[in-house]
Amino acid sequence: MANAAIVGINWGDEGKGRMVDLLTENYDIVIRYQGGGNAGHTVINEYGKFALHLLPSGIFRKGVVNILGNGVALDPENLWKEMQEVEKQGVPLTPDNLKISDRASLLLPWHRLLDGLEEARLADKKYGSTKQGIAPFYADKYSKKTILAGELLYPKHLMERLQDLLEWKNLTITRVYGAEPVTMEELEQWLENYCEKIKPYICDTGVFLRDAQAAGKKILFEAQLGALRDLDYGIYPYTTSSNAVAAYAPVGSGLPSAKLDEVIGVVKAYSSCVGEGPFTCEFFGKEAEELRTAGFEFGAKTGRPRRVGPIDIVATRYGVRTQAATNIALTKLDILSYMDEIPICARYSVDGVETDEFPFPALLNDAKPVMTTMPGWKCDISGVRRWEDLPKEAQDYVLYIEKEIGCHIGYVSVGPERDSIIIR
Ligand code: GDP
């Protein structure tokens, strides 16, 4: 397939990083097209274990060009720190294998500050921000009040723009929140410590991608977070502040004319959710504890315990449709091996009426899960590599999900390592 997107079908943390790491073998270019460093993809390969926040997951493959597209929240500080981490573990980074779009907007030092100030103001009404500045960043991007990465290459112009933005933003910081203003000296330090370091990687990625497309190169688009966190289609306001759906991939990548030949939707064999917001299928107490421990469900960025539950067919079907997925990767099936019976949230009940449709966000708090179960397989499946070697109960579970969500499950992942995969 020429172009493919790998996207999350649920709330994020489905194992997208692991799938991108596996599939990059077949692609020439990997592009992150939205989001910032507020979530993390965990990748385990021959270099070690990594929690990638901004770098595309193709960074570990020789010969693959990785691009941070114009749709991402480009945080120079976090990016530079992450680049150093990855290099320390033996992964070379050069302007040949990492390119930053000159049209990516910069997450500025005050965005993180404002995120924290606003969450503190909201107190118990908070949205569960990771305080990485993502929401204030996107608000400013769409108000045209931030800086494009390419502007770093024009210092005189840059300093004038920064001075204007600083004056404007300090009004909010000091008058609305009563906090200390950000100073020009702090901005200059930030420019020197981080922006200068990433400058060599900034280029016109649009031209590069157009040429690559004309030369028949294969491109993989990588999403951060899942369909249910998409700004327009997710559980608003408990969404992220950008579009995580595959349809946005061409726009956020720098190749608006790109056609997606395949959309690989990543679904976890059970559900997990970080932070606040409605989570209809949520487990509590001992049941939750067991599943969380079995699945190591703690945030890659924050270390926060994730909320967990059974697979949610209603939400997953909605995610598959929203993403227009053509193929599904079902991850972490091995985690369910301890269960006698596999719980499934098959439908929702809203105000006493059963439904297969994912409700409007405001109704989600009233939705109750309608549960069913299937027999468990109760044996270690992490060494299985062929579909026919999976226990019948595990096959039946996969086939049930496939039928219910209406999309072929082409990959079944049974472990975090690159090769722990069954391809159907
Ligand atoms: P992402 O943000 O969608 O990439 O997901 P995360 O990295 O937050 O979460 C996925 C976690 O599950 C990572 O720790 C992976 O190493 C791990 N993982 C992915 N697939 C599997 C699998 O099939 N089995 C097991 N046991 N772990 C997996």
Side-chain angles (χ1 to χ4, degrees):
M1 286 292 175
N3 293 337
I6 297 197
V7 295
I9 295 295
N10 302 115
W11 296 265
D13 305 315
E14 298 93 344
K16 293 178 294 299
R18 175 254 186 289
M19 288 308 300
V20 181
D21 183 59
L22 172 77
L23 296 174
T24 41
E25 193 173 27
N26 308 323
Y27 292 86
D28 303 299
I29 299 166
V30 179
I31 314 179
R32 271 281 312 268
Y33 62 86
Q34 53 83 221
N38 53 330
H41 295 325
T42 312
V43 176
I44 301 174
N45 58 30
E46 71 268 28
Y47 292 105
K49 180 172 180 178
F50 299 87
L52 295 180
H53 301 293
L54 264 168
L55 288 172
S57 310
I59 203 72
F60 306 105
R61 295 275 191 186
K62 281 198 182 65
V64 171
V65 178
N66 293 271
I67 295 183
L68 288 166
N70 51 281
V72 304
L74 193 83
D75 179 342
E77 179 175 343
N78 274 350
L79 176 61
W80 177 239
K81 288 180 180 165
E82 191 173 320
M83 286 169 69
Q84 286 178 301
E85 280 294 306
V86 165
E87 285 209 291
K88 219 165 51 196
Q89 285 182 256
V91 182
L93 297 179
T94 70
D96 287 330
N97 73 346
L98 177 65
K99 296 182 190 295
I100 299 171
S101 166
D102 56 359
R103 287 180 172 271
S105 301
L106 295 187
L107 189 142
L108 301 166
W110 50 70
H111 290 134
R112 223 188 311 272
L113 171 69
L114 284 166
D115 218 347
L117 290 170
E118 179 57 10
E119 283 284 294
R121 188 192 70 81
L122 283 166
D124 58 347
K125 288 186 177 170
K126 62 188 190 292
Y127 296 138
S129 164
T130 54
K131 303 198 188 79
Q132 295 296 311
I134 305 299
F137 161 80
Y138 276 109
D140 282 357
K141 169 174 171 166
Y142 287 96
S143 312
K144 298 162 290 177
K145 296 279 198 192
T146 181
I147 303 269
L148 299 179
E151 291 182 81
L152 294 175
L153 306 175
Y154 305 97
K156 182 168 172 294
H157 160 94
L158 172 71
M159 295 318 285
E160 284 169 16
R161 290 257 293 125
L162 273 178
Q163 185 65 52
D164 288 348
L165 289 177
L166 179 70
E167 272 171 36
W168 168 75
K169 191 52 91 179
N170 272 336
L171 292 175
T172 309
I173 294 170
T174 58
R175 296 198 191 171
V176 175
Y177 292 105
E180 288 297 310
V182 175
T183 64
M184 199 60 195
E185 289 69 43
E186 286 172 288
L187 280 186
E188 281 165 0
Q189 277 283 304
W190 170 80
L191 286 171
E192 193 183 311
N193 291 347
Y194 309 113
C195 298
E196 279 302 313
K197 306 293 196 312
I198 64 164
K199 245 163 90 170
Y201 301 86
I202 298 169
C203 63
D204 185 342
T205 51
V207 167
F208 173 82
L209 286 169
R210 241 180 22 231
D211 291 348
Q213 182 169 248
K217 300 284 186 199
K218 293 168 145 190
I219 304 173
L220 190 62
F221 301 89
E222 180 183 13
Q224 175 238 31
L225 291 173
L228 300 174
R229 299 288 190 193
D230 180 271
L231 177 63
D232 286 83
Y233 296 97
I235 51 173
Y236 191 88
Y238 299 98
T239 57
T240 194
S241 305
S242 61
N243 289 111
V245 289
Y248 186 74
V251 177
S253 68
L255 195 60
S257 60
K259 302 265 184 305
L260 298 179
D261 301 300
E262 191 175 23
V263 176
I264 302 165
V266 187
V267 174
K268 196 144 65 178
Y270 56 92
S271 301
S272 71
C273 166
V274 177
E276 316 292 321
F279 184 40
T280 306
C281 66
E282 184 165 11
F283 277 167
F284 298 94
K286 184 164 165 281
E287 218 174 8
E289 202 54 50
E290 272 179 1
L291 183 52
R292 182 179 303 118
T293 308
F296 317 105
E297 293 298 343
F298 298 89
K301 178 83 192 176
T302 57
R304 285 191 284 189
R306 292 176 182 153
R307 300 156 76 191
V308 292
I311 192 158
D312 181 331
I313 296 293
V314 181
T316 304
R317 189 188 297 115
Y318 175 77
V320 166
R321 289 176 181 167
T322 306
Q323 296 284 19
T326 59
N327 197 354
I328 295 293
L330 186 72
T331 62
K332 300 188 98 165
L333 189 64
D334 54 305
I335 299 300
L336 303 183
S337 299
Y338 76 92
M339 293 179 166
D340 295 325
E341 290 198 308
I342 313 294
I344 296 165
C345 170
R347 309 188 77 197
Y348 286 0
S349 167
V350 183
D351 284 338
V353 180
E354 286 199 15
T355 180
D356 290 317
E357 290 293 330
F358 192 68
F360 181 72
L363 298 177
L364 275 170
N365 279 334
D366 300 325
K368 307 263 179 303
V370 178
M371 299 293 298
T372 184
T373 58
M374 289 183 77
W377 45 93
K378 293 287 277 184
C379 62
D380 181 8
I381 56 169
S382 59
V384 176
R385 297 291 176 270
R386 296 187 318 166
W387 173 251
E388 50 274 29
D389 296 337
L390 263 186
K392 175 156 185 325
E393 293 82 359
Q395 286 186 2
D396 286 347
Y397 181 61
V398 175
L399 293 174
Y400 169 85
I401 297 168
E402 183 173 81
K403 182 167 144 285
E404 288 296 319
I405 63 177
C407 188
H408 175 64
I409 296 177
Y411 303 89
V412 179
S413 172
V414 290
E417 301 81 16
R418 199 179 261 176
D419 69 341
S420 304
I421 195 93
I422 298 165
I423 300 178
R424 282 176 77 213

PDB file of all heavy atoms in Angstrom, residues 12-18 40-42 44 49 296 300 306 331-335 413-416, ligand 1:
ATOM      1  N   GLY A  12      -7.050   6.424  23.046  1.00  0.00           N
ATOM      2  CA  GLY A  12      -5.589   6.558  23.008  1.00  0.00           C
ATOM      3  C   GLY A  12      -4.945   5.412  23.771  1.00  0.00           C
ATOM      4  O   GLY A  12      -5.642   4.611  24.409  1.00  0.00           O
ATOM      5  N   ASP A  13      -3.616   5.316  23.667  1.00  0.00           N
ATOM      6  CA  ASP A  13      -2.852   4.256  24.355  1.00  0.00           C
ATOM      7  C   ASP A  13      -3.256   2.860  23.891  1.00  0.00           C
ATOM      8  O   ASP A  13      -3.187   1.894  24.652  1.00  0.00           O
ATOM      9  CB  ASP A  13      -3.020   4.341  25.882  1.00  0.00           C
ATOM     10  CG  ASP A  13      -2.660   5.714  26.393  1.00  0.00           C
ATOM     11  OD1 ASP A  13      -1.622   6.230  25.965  1.00  0.00           O
ATOM     12  OD2 ASP A  13      -3.428   6.265  27.197  1.00  0.00           O
ATOM     13  N   GLU A  14      -3.666   2.740  22.652  1.00  0.00           N
ATOM     14  CA  GLU A  14      -4.090   1.437  22.130  1.00  0.00           C
ATOM     15  C   GLU A  14      -2.895   0.580  21.716  1.00  0.00           C
ATOM     16  O   GLU A  14      -3.048  -0.618  21.475  1.00  0.00           O
ATOM     17  CB  GLU A  14      -5.006   1.616  20.904  1.00  0.00           C
ATOM     18  CG  GLU A  14      -6.307   2.361  21.183  1.00  0.00           C
ATOM     19  CD  GLU A  14      -6.190   3.855  20.916  1.00  0.00           C
ATOM     20  OE1 GLU A  14      -5.048   4.362  20.807  1.00  0.00           O
ATOM     21  OE2 GLU A  14      -7.232   4.523  20.839  1.00  0.00           O
ATOM     22  N   GLY A  15      -1.721   1.211  21.615  1.00  0.00           N
ATOM     23  CA  GLY A  15      -0.536   0.488  21.142  1.00  0.00           C
ATOM     24  C   GLY A  15      -0.143   0.921  19.733  1.00  0.00           C
ATOM     25  O   GLY A  15       0.449   0.146  18.988  1.00  0.00           O
ATOM     26  N   LYS A  16      -0.442   2.174  19.398  1.00  0.00           N
ATOM     27  CA  LYS A  16      -0.123   2.675  18.049  1.00  0.00           C
ATOM     28  C   LYS A  16       1.381   2.670  17.802  1.00  0.00           C
ATOM     29  O   LYS A  16       1.835   2.296  16.726  1.00  0.00           O
ATOM     30  CB  LYS A  16      -0.652   4.104  17.864  1.00  0.00           C
ATOM     31  CG  LYS A  16      -2.154   4.185  17.860  1.00  0.00           C
ATOM     32  CD  LYS A  16      -2.623   5.621  17.716  1.00  0.00           C
ATOM     33  CE  LYS A  16      -2.262   6.500  18.892  1.00  0.00           C
ATOM     34  NZ  LYS A  16      -2.838   6.076  20.179  1.00  0.00           N
ATOM     35  N   GLY A  17       2.141   3.096  18.827  1.00  0.00           N
ATOM     36  CA  GLY A  17       3.593   3.190  18.674  1.00  0.00           C
ATOM     37  C   GLY A  17       4.180   1.839  18.312  1.00  0.00           C
ATOM     38  O   GLY A  17       5.025   1.726  17.419  1.00  0.00           O
ATOM     39  N   ARG A  18       3.703   0.814  18.963  1.00  0.00           N
ATOM     40  CA  ARG A  18       4.171  -0.542  18.721  1.00  0.00           C
ATOM     41  C   ARG A  18       3.852  -0.987  17.284  1.00  0.00           C
ATOM     42  O   ARG A  18       4.655  -1.640  16.630  1.00  0.00           O
ATOM     43  CB  ARG A  18       3.461  -1.425  19.761  1.00  0.00           C
ATOM     44  CG  ARG A  18       3.673  -2.858  19.670  1.00  0.00           C
ATOM     45  CD  ARG A  18       2.477  -3.588  19.132  1.00  0.00           C
ATOM     46  NE  ARG A  18       2.737  -5.020  19.217  1.00  0.00           N
ATOM     47  CZ  ARG A  18       3.609  -5.649  18.441  1.00  0.00           C
ATOM     48  NH1 ARG A  18       4.283  -5.001  17.530  1.00  0.00           N
ATOM     49  NH2 ARG A  18       3.786  -6.943  18.571  1.00  0.00           N
ATOM     50  N   GLY A  40       2.151   9.512  25.077  1.00  0.00           N
ATOM     51  CA  GLY A  40       3.406   8.836  24.748  1.00  0.00           C
ATOM     52  C   GLY A  40       3.167   7.511  24.070  1.00  0.00           C
ATOM     53  O   GLY A  40       2.243   6.788  24.423  1.00  0.00           O
ATOM     54  N   HIS A  41       3.973   7.219  23.064  1.00  0.00           N
ATOM     55  CA  HIS A  41       3.931   5.900  22.445  1.00  0.00           C
ATOM     56  C   HIS A  41       5.075   5.080  23.017  1.00  0.00           C
ATOM     57  O   HIS A  41       6.221   5.522  22.978  1.00  0.00           O
ATOM     58  CB  HIS A  41       4.161   5.997  20.936  1.00  0.00           C
ATOM     59  CG  HIS A  41       3.071   6.722  20.228  1.00  0.00           C
ATOM     60  ND1 HIS A  41       1.765   6.654  20.612  1.00  0.00           N
ATOM     61  CD2 HIS A  41       3.104   7.512  19.141  1.00  0.00           C
ATOM     62  CE1 HIS A  41       1.036   7.387  19.785  1.00  0.00           C
ATOM     63  NE2 HIS A  41       1.818   7.924  18.896  1.00  0.00           N
ATOM     64  N   THR A  42       4.760   3.901  23.506  1.00  0.00           N
ATOM     65  CA  THR A  42       5.829   3.051  24.030  1.00  0.00           C
ATOM     66  C   THR A  42       6.287   2.101  22.942  1.00  0.00           C
ATOM     67  O   THR A  42       5.482   1.432  22.315  1.00  0.00           O
ATOM     68  CB  THR A  42       5.326   2.252  25.235  1.00  0.00           C
ATOM     69  OG1 THR A  42       4.648   3.148  26.104  1.00  0.00           O
ATOM     70  CG2 THR A  42       6.478   1.592  25.968  1.00  0.00           C
ATOM     71  N   ILE A  44       9.270  -0.896  22.058  1.00  0.00           N
ATOM     72  CA  ILE A  44      10.354  -1.763  22.546  1.00  0.00           C
ATOM     73  C   ILE A  44      11.002  -2.416  21.326  1.00  0.00           C
ATOM     74  O   ILE A  44      10.312  -3.074  20.544  1.00  0.00           O
ATOM     75  CB  ILE A  44       9.802  -2.846  23.496  1.00  0.00           C
ATOM     76  CG1 ILE A  44       9.095  -2.193  24.694  1.00  0.00           C
ATOM     77  CG2 ILE A  44      10.924  -3.773  23.978  1.00  0.00           C
ATOM     78  CD1 ILE A  44       8.395  -3.166  25.615  1.00  0.00           C
ATOM     79  N   LYS A  49      13.841   0.297  25.411  1.00  0.00           N
ATOM     80  CA  LYS A  49      12.438   0.676  25.594  1.00  0.00           C
ATOM     81  C   LYS A  49      12.343   2.196  25.576  1.00  0.00           C
ATOM     82  O   LYS A  49      13.108   2.870  26.266  1.00  0.00           O
ATOM     83  CB  LYS A  49      11.936   0.121  26.927  1.00  0.00           C
ATOM     84  CG  LYS A  49      10.493   0.456  27.199  1.00  0.00           C
ATOM     85  CD  LYS A  49       9.956  -0.246  28.418  1.00  0.00           C
ATOM     86  CE  LYS A  49       8.500   0.155  28.618  1.00  0.00           C
ATOM     87  NZ  LYS A  49       7.851  -0.479  29.722  1.00  0.00           N
ATOM     88  N   PHE A 296      -0.355  -3.418  32.761  1.00  0.00           N
ATOM     89  CA  PHE A 296       0.606  -2.321  33.048  1.00  0.00           C
ATOM     90  C   PHE A 296       0.012  -0.994  32.594  1.00  0.00           C
ATOM     91  O   PHE A 296       0.630  -0.264  31.819  1.00  0.00           O
ATOM     92  CB  PHE A 296       1.952  -2.552  32.340  1.00  0.00           C
ATOM     93  CG  PHE A 296       2.461  -3.953  32.410  1.00  0.00           C
ATOM     94  CD1 PHE A 296       2.395  -4.800  31.311  1.00  0.00           C
ATOM     95  CD2 PHE A 296       2.990  -4.448  33.601  1.00  0.00           C
ATOM     96  CE1 PHE A 296       2.850  -6.110  31.390  1.00  0.00           C
ATOM     97  CE2 PHE A 296       3.438  -5.755  33.678  1.00  0.00           C
ATOM     98  CZ  PHE A 296       3.369  -6.586  32.567  1.00  0.00           C
ATOM     99  N   ALA A 300       2.205   6.688  29.934  1.00  0.00           N
ATOM    100  CA  ALA A 300       3.598   6.729  29.471  1.00  0.00           C
ATOM    101  C   ALA A 300       4.226   8.083  29.779  1.00  0.00           C
ATOM    102  O   ALA A 300       5.425   8.184  30.020  1.00  0.00           O
ATOM    103  CB  ALA A 300       3.668   6.447  27.969  1.00  0.00           C
ATOM    104  N   ARG A 306      -4.110   4.336  34.721  1.00  0.00           N
ATOM    105  CA  ARG A 306      -5.180   4.525  33.738  1.00  0.00           C
ATOM    106  C   ARG A 306      -6.455   3.867  34.238  1.00  0.00           C
ATOM    107  O   ARG A 306      -6.416   2.845  34.912  1.00  0.00           O
ATOM    108  CB  ARG A 306      -4.792   3.906  32.405  1.00  0.00           C
ATOM    109  CG  ARG A 306      -3.657   4.633  31.717  1.00  0.00           C
ATOM    110  CD  ARG A 306      -3.249   3.916  30.439  1.00  0.00           C
ATOM    111  NE  ARG A 306      -2.129   4.594  29.804  1.00  0.00           N
ATOM    112  CZ  ARG A 306      -1.237   3.988  29.021  1.00  0.00           C
ATOM    113  NH1 ARG A 306      -1.339   2.702  28.758  1.00  0.00           N
ATOM    114  NH2 ARG A 306      -0.247   4.663  28.495  1.00  0.00           N
ATOM    115  N   THR A 331      -4.581  -5.182  19.835  1.00  0.00           N
ATOM    116  CA  THR A 331      -3.371  -5.337  20.655  1.00  0.00           C
ATOM    117  C   THR A 331      -3.700  -5.881  22.039  1.00  0.00           C
ATOM    118  O   THR A 331      -4.843  -5.838  22.489  1.00  0.00           O
ATOM    119  CB  THR A 331      -2.642  -3.985  20.825  1.00  0.00           C
ATOM    120  OG1 THR A 331      -3.501  -3.089  21.487  1.00  0.00           O
ATOM    121  CG2 THR A 331      -2.214  -3.402  19.492  1.00  0.00           C
ATOM    122  N   LYS A 332      -2.677  -6.383  22.693  1.00  0.00           N
ATOM    123  CA  LYS A 332      -2.724  -6.814  24.099  1.00  0.00           C
ATOM    124  C   LYS A 332      -3.720  -7.935  24.377  1.00  0.00           C
ATOM    125  O   LYS A 332      -4.269  -8.032  25.473  1.00  0.00           O
ATOM    126  CB  LYS A 332      -2.959  -5.599  25.013  1.00  0.00           C
ATOM    127  CG  LYS A 332      -1.839  -4.566  24.869  1.00  0.00           C
ATOM    128  CD  LYS A 332      -1.916  -3.443  25.882  1.00  0.00           C
ATOM    129  CE  LYS A 332      -1.008  -3.667  27.061  1.00  0.00           C
ATOM    130  NZ  LYS A 332      -0.789  -2.470  27.880  1.00  0.00           N
ATOM    131  N   LEU A 333      -3.933  -8.779  23.384  1.00  0.00           N
ATOM    132  CA  LEU A 333      -4.825  -9.920  23.622  1.00  0.00           C
ATOM    133  C   LEU A 333      -4.250 -10.814  24.722  1.00  0.00           C
ATOM    134  O   LEU A 333      -4.998 -11.403  25.509  1.00  0.00           O
ATOM    135  CB  LEU A 333      -4.995 -10.722  22.317  1.00  0.00           C
ATOM    136  CG  LEU A 333      -6.057 -11.812  22.375  1.00  0.00           C
ATOM    137  CD1 LEU A 333      -7.448 -11.210  22.577  1.00  0.00           C
ATOM    138  CD2 LEU A 333      -6.043 -12.672  21.110  1.00  0.00           C
ATOM    139  N   ASP A 334      -2.915 -10.893  24.800  1.00  0.00           N
ATOM    140  CA  ASP A 334      -2.259 -11.728  25.816  1.00  0.00           C
ATOM    141  C   ASP A 334      -2.624 -11.334  27.246  1.00  0.00           C
ATOM    142  O   ASP A 334      -2.616 -12.159  28.150  1.00  0.00           O
ATOM    143  CB  ASP A 334      -0.729 -11.655  25.640  1.00  0.00           C
ATOM    144  CG  ASP A 334      -0.221 -10.218  25.648  1.00  0.00           C
ATOM    145  OD1 ASP A 334      -0.719  -9.420  24.829  1.00  0.00           O
ATOM    146  OD2 ASP A 334       0.647  -9.893  26.476  1.00  0.00           O
ATOM    147  N   ILE A 335      -2.957 -10.051  27.430  1.00  0.00           N
ATOM    148  CA  ILE A 335      -3.254  -9.560  28.789  1.00  0.00           C
ATOM    149  C   ILE A 335      -4.503 -10.228  29.364  1.00  0.00           C
ATOM    150  O   ILE A 335      -4.643 -10.388  30.574  1.00  0.00           O
ATOM    151  CB  ILE A 335      -3.439  -8.013  28.762  1.00  0.00           C
ATOM    152  CG1 ILE A 335      -2.164  -7.320  28.277  1.00  0.00           C
ATOM    153  CG2 ILE A 335      -3.897  -7.470  30.113  1.00  0.00           C
ATOM    154  CD1 ILE A 335      -0.933  -7.562  29.120  1.00  0.00           C
ATOM    155  N   SER A 413      -1.960  -8.622  18.196  1.00  0.00           N
ATOM    156  CA  SER A 413      -0.693  -8.475  18.917  1.00  0.00           C
ATOM    157  C   SER A 413      -0.789  -9.207  20.252  1.00  0.00           C
ATOM    158  O   SER A 413      -1.763  -9.063  20.985  1.00  0.00           O
ATOM    159  CB  SER A 413      -0.428  -6.981  19.129  1.00  0.00           C
ATOM    160  OG  SER A 413       0.677  -6.803  19.964  1.00  0.00           O
ATOM    161  N   VAL A 414       0.250  -9.993  20.539  1.00  0.00           N
ATOM    162  CA  VAL A 414       0.224 -10.808  21.768  1.00  0.00           C
ATOM    163  C   VAL A 414       1.407 -10.496  22.687  1.00  0.00           C
ATOM    164  O   VAL A 414       1.718 -11.260  23.600  1.00  0.00           O
ATOM    165  CB  VAL A 414       0.185 -12.321  21.428  1.00  0.00           C
ATOM    166  CG1 VAL A 414      -1.155 -12.707  20.831  1.00  0.00           C
ATOM    167  CG2 VAL A 414       1.330 -12.713  20.489  1.00  0.00           C
ATOM    168  N   GLY A 415       2.076  -9.370  22.444  1.00  0.00           N
ATOM    169  CA  GLY A 415       3.187  -8.968  23.297  1.00  0.00           C
ATOM    170  C   GLY A 415       3.732  -7.641  22.823  1.00  0.00           C
ATOM    171  O   GLY A 415       3.455  -7.208  21.701  1.00  0.00           O
ATOM    172  N   PRO A 416       4.504  -6.948  23.683  1.00  0.00           N
ATOM    173  CA  PRO A 416       4.997  -5.620  23.314  1.00  0.00           C
ATOM    174  C   PRO A 416       6.152  -5.636  22.314  1.00  0.00           C
ATOM    175  O   PRO A 416       6.443  -4.617  21.699  1.00  0.00           O
ATOM    176  CB  PRO A 416       5.456  -5.035  24.658  1.00  0.00           C
ATOM    177  CG  PRO A 416       5.725  -6.201  25.541  1.00  0.00           C
ATOM    178  CD  PRO A 416       4.844  -7.322  25.067  1.00  0.00           C
TER     179      PRO A 416
HETATM  180  P1  GDP B   1       0.200   4.179  22.160  1.00  0.00           P
HETATM  181  O1  GDP B   1       0.270   5.553  22.713  1.00  0.00           O
HETATM  182  O2  GDP B   1      -1.071   3.954  21.391  1.00  0.00           O
HETATM  183  O3  GDP B   1       1.396   3.806  21.371  1.00  0.00           O
HETATM  184  O4  GDP B   1       0.120   3.185  23.384  1.00  0.00           O
HETATM  185  P2  GDP B   1       1.037   3.135  24.713  1.00  0.00           P
HETATM  186  O5  GDP B   1       2.435   3.071  24.333  1.00  0.00           O
HETATM  187  O6  GDP B   1       0.626   4.136  25.690  1.00  0.00           O
HETATM  188  O7  GDP B   1       0.518   1.760  25.322  1.00  0.00           O
HETATM  189  C1  GDP B   1       0.744   0.556  24.776  1.00  0.00           C
HETATM  190  C2  GDP B   1       1.533  -0.262  25.796  1.00  0.00           C
HETATM  191  O8  GDP B   1       1.248  -1.622  25.608  1.00  0.00           O
HETATM  192  C3  GDP B   1       3.017  -0.150  25.636  1.00  0.00           C
HETATM  193  O9  GDP B   1       3.626  -0.319  26.893  1.00  0.00           O
HETATM  194  C4  GDP B   1       3.360  -1.309  24.715  1.00  0.00           C
HETATM  195  O10 GDP B   1       4.698  -1.760  24.851  1.00  0.00           O
HETATM  196  C5  GDP B   1       2.405  -2.331  25.203  1.00  0.00           C
HETATM  197  N1  GDP B   1       1.903  -3.251  24.184  1.00  0.00           N
HETATM  198  C6  GDP B   1       1.523  -2.973  22.901  1.00  0.00           C
HETATM  199  N2  GDP B   1       1.024  -4.072  22.327  1.00  0.00           N
HETATM  200  C7  GDP B   1       1.073  -5.055  23.269  1.00  0.00           C
HETATM  201  C8  GDP B   1       0.639  -6.418  23.301  1.00  0.00           C
HETATM  202  O11 GDP B   1       0.099  -6.952  22.339  1.00  0.00           O
HETATM  203  N3  GDP B   1       0.826  -7.112  24.458  1.00  0.00           N
HETATM  204  C9  GDP B   1       1.402  -6.567  25.555  1.00  0.00           C
HETATM  205  N4  GDP B   1       1.553  -7.315  26.646  1.00  0.00           N
HETATM  206  N5  GDP B   1       1.814  -5.270  25.578  1.00  0.00           N
HETATM  207  C10 GDP B   1       1.637  -4.545  24.447  1.00  0.00           C
END
